[in-house]
Amino acid sequence: MASGDASGRYFEEEVRRQLVSRFGSDRVLRGGLRVYTTYDPALQHAADMAVRTRIAQIVKMRPAARDLQGSLVAMDPLTGDV
């Protein structure tokens, strides 16, 4: 994940927590591990845009709904990858 990239931070934090739990904070924080995840910045961006677009559509139809929040979960049905 690119440094400074705002999307995917929750995913990154969960991966970090699991690594610390499995290998200990010393090993995780000092480096030396190679970690591969299912995170895809392009798909994350598409998900962000889909949620924002849908919220904007709802607000346009119902102006009183201006404080909406949304979420999207995408999984590969064959592998279970998030």
Side-chain angles (χ1 to χ4, degrees), residues 4-53:
D5 183 5
S7 67
R9 295 251 169 116
Y10 291 109
F11 188 89
E12 180 180 26
E13 177 60 15
E14 181 58 27
V15 169
R16 186 197 65 77
R17 286 180 188 191
Q18 288 185 26
L19 290 170
V20 167
S21 175
R22 188 171 195 177
F23 300 107
S25 61
D26 190 52
R27 187 160 180 209
V28 172
L29 298 176
R30 290 183 189 255
L33 296 176
R34 279 201 145 150
V35 178
Y36 299 90
T37 72
T38 58
Y39 179 77
D40 182 327
L43 290 177
Q44 181 66 45
H45 178 72
D48 291 342
M49 292 306 297
V51 170
R52 285 185 197 157
T53 300

Side-chain angles (χ1 to χ4, degrees), residues 42-70:
L43 290 177
Q44 181 66 45
H45 178 72
D48 291 342
M49 292 306 297
V51 170
R52 285 185 197 157
T53 300
R54 184 60 184 139
I55 288 174
Q57 291 169 344
I58 293 169
V59 169
K60 188 174 181 179
M61 292 184 306
R62 299 175 188 234
R66 66 185 179 285
D67 293 329
L68 291 179
Q69 295 182 1

